[in-house]
Amino acid sequence: MIDVPTTLRKELAELEAKAAKIRALLLHYPPAPGVRLRERTTPVQVSALAAAPPVANGAPRPAYTPGAETKFERARKAAVSLAQERGGTVHRLDMLNRLKELGIMGTETNPMQTLAKFLTEWSTDFERLGGGSYRLRNKAD
C-alpha cells in the first residue's frame, strides 16, 4: 500500500528544490515593470546583470547603460526635430524614412505599425491632421 504522507512530503521537497532553482534564475533578470514578486533584500547591481550568464536560448544578454535613452525617446526627439525642420508639419512616411536613416527603426517586422503606436503616445507633441500628416503642437495647446 502507498504511504500517502511520505509521498506528499517527497513531492513537496522536489517542488521546493525546483522553486529554489527558479528563484536563483530570476535573480539574473530585472523585475518586470509594475510587478512586485517580493521586496529585494539587496540592490541589483548593473554590473551583476551585465556579467550574468546568457539567457536560456544562448543569446548574449544586451548591455544595459543607466540613463540611456530608449528607442521610443530617440524616435520622438528625431520626429520632433524633423517636424521643426519642415515648419511643423510632416508626413508619417517621411518620419519613418528619417528614423530608418538614423538607424532608430527599420528592423521591426512592421515599422509603420510601430511608428503608428509611437505617434499615438506622442499626442502631446503631435496633432493628427489626417492623410498621414502630423503637425507639431504648440506648447501652449
Side-chain angles (χ1 to χ4, degrees), residues 26-87:
L26 284 174
L27 293 176
H28 294 290
Y29 296 92
V35 175
R36 282 184 47 193
L37 298 176
R38 62 184 169 94
E39 283 296 321
R40 291 191 169 277
T41 55
T42 57
V44 174
Q45 298 293 326
V46 173
S47 59
L49 290 175
V55 291
N57 65 2
R61 184 175 303 283
Y64 173 74
T65 307
E69 287 184 324
T70 62
K71 177 180 186 173
F72 178 85
E73 267 305 302
R74 288 181 294 142
R76 186 189 64 76
K77 285 182 179 180
V80 168
S81 173
L82 177 64
Q84 289 170 341
E85 289 173 16
R86 303 238 176 130

Side-chain angles (χ1 to χ4, degrees), residues 110-129:
N110 188 341
M112 186 58 79
Q113 182 180 25
T114 303
L115 178 59
K117 290 176 184 177
F118 284 178
L119 283 164
T120 300
E121 295 292 322
W122 298 339
S123 62
T124 57
D125 295 313
F126 289 98
E127 176 184 357
R128 186 170 185 222
L129 300 175

Side-chain angles (χ1 to χ4, degrees), residues 2 5 7 13 15 22 26 49 52-53 55 60 65 75 99 109 116 120 122 132 136:
I2 297 174
T7 304
L15 289 173
I22 292 171
L26 284 174
L49 290 175
V55 291
T65 307
L99 295 173
T109 304
T120 300
W122 298 339
L136 201 54

